Amino acid sequence: MDVLWGERPTPRRGPRPAFDTERIARAGIEIADREGLSAVTMQRVAESLGVTKMALYRYVPGKAELVALMVDIGLGRPPAVDATSWRAALTAWARELFLRFYAHPWSLEATRGARLIGPNELTWMEIAVAALADSGLDGAETLDTVVVLTGHVRSLGEQTRAYDTVSAEDPLTSGFQAILTGREDRFPAVTAAFASAAASGKTNQALDFGVDRILDGVETLIASRR
């Protein structure tokens, strides 16, 4: 809590601190972006900054706190949403959140399970909840909407990154086509679906499709209250 939300006290004696928590976290982000979260250690971060590991403990107590900082700084503050409706606002919000997770795939792993969140991450939630403030949904329904959208974004982030190793141009389609080749008779429905999607040019639209269907349901619920 102190590392994410508070000001760590500056040592009164000795030389002026050469680092701050953001600089240390960004050094960890660079390592995680290249090599994954497992490669991030206090020792590696210290080496990248040209200091001893013990020097970092003046700012960050350990790896758990370091990763928490990395997540909050990596996601960053959300962009201002200039939208005419709650639906347009949440659509833009979901797309931007996907891009942040995609840019830092390790953050998907780092944000699983119970944990404290930082000011940037809470600001993402604030913007999404505020978009629904006048929708007629109660607090629980509003929070659940944000949870469902976030789950969809995270799921697509993980899948997209996984398939990136297959092909940079059309990872999902090319990966399945390689598997289906020579097995079309065994999986005719899947083969036909991929052929239809390729012909229509509507491949790799799962993010927007899912967001639209989630918000269709929310819109129906809101309309029913009227």
Side-chain angles (χ1 to χ4, degrees):
M1 181 69 77
D2 289 341
V3 172
L4 283 171
W5 288 92
E7 293 286 341
R8 289 188 62 78
T10 301
R12 295 187 179 184
R13 295 182 179 180
R16 183 177 180 179
F19 301 104
D20 56 33
T21 53
E22 180 171 349
R23 184 177 175 188
I24 294 169
R26 291 195 181 280
I29 289 171
E30 290 180 4
I31 295 171
D33 285 348
R34 291 194 311 265
E35 305 173 47
L37 191 60
S38 62
V40 177
T41 65
M42 296 294 281
Q43 182 65 44
R44 286 286 307 278
V45 172
E47 290 172 356
S48 72
L49 292 171
V51 298
T52 65
K53 180 172 68 173
M54 293 304 298
L56 295 188
Y57 289 119
R58 299 174 64 194
Y59 308 90
V60 181
K63 182 175 177 178
E65 292 82 2
L66 172 61
V67 172
L69 282 168
M70 289 166 54
V71 168
D72 203 55
I73 292 172
L75 289 179
R77 291 184 62 83
V81 176
D82 183 15
T84 56
S85 68
W86 64 264
R87 180 162 185 150
L90 290 181
T91 298
W93 178 91
R95 288 172 178 168
E96 187 60 37
L97 183 60
F98 173 84
L99 293 176
R100 301 294 176 93
F101 277 128
Y102 187 84
H104 304 294
W106 53 267
S107 63
L108 292 162
E109 175 185 351
T111 52
R112 296 192 187 112
R115 60 193 176 83
L116 289 174
I117 67 173
N120 286 335
E121 196 171 355
L122 190 55
T123 301
W124 280 90
M125 181 182 289
E126 173 69 17
I127 287 178
V129 170
L132 291 165
D134 299 322
S135 66
L137 299 182
D138 63 29
E141 292 165 340
T142 296
L143 292 172
D144 285 344
T145 298
V146 176
V147 168
V148 172
L149 275 176
T150 303
H152 175 62
V153 168
R154 288 176 57 88
S155 176
L156 263 295
E158 291 178 338
Q159 291 183 47
T160 303
R161 269 297 185 178
Y163 278 107
D164 274 354
T165 59
V166 179
S167 169
E169 294 181 0
D170 193 354
L172 183 61
T173 302
S174 62
F176 272 95
Q177 291 294 354
I179 295 171
L180 289 171
T181 300
R183 301 181 178 91
E184 294 85 355
D185 292 342
R186 185 178 176 185
F187 303 102
V190 176
T191 299
F194 269 102
S196 175
S200 66
K202 295 181 180 179
T203 58
N204 296 328
Q205 296 184 1
L207 177 66
D208 287 344
F209 182 85
V211 169
D212 285 342
R213 300 296 75 77
I214 292 168
L215 298 185
D216 282 348
V218 174
E219 193 163 33
T220 298
L221 176 61
I222 292 172
S224 72
R225 299 288 169 78
R226 304 192 187 105

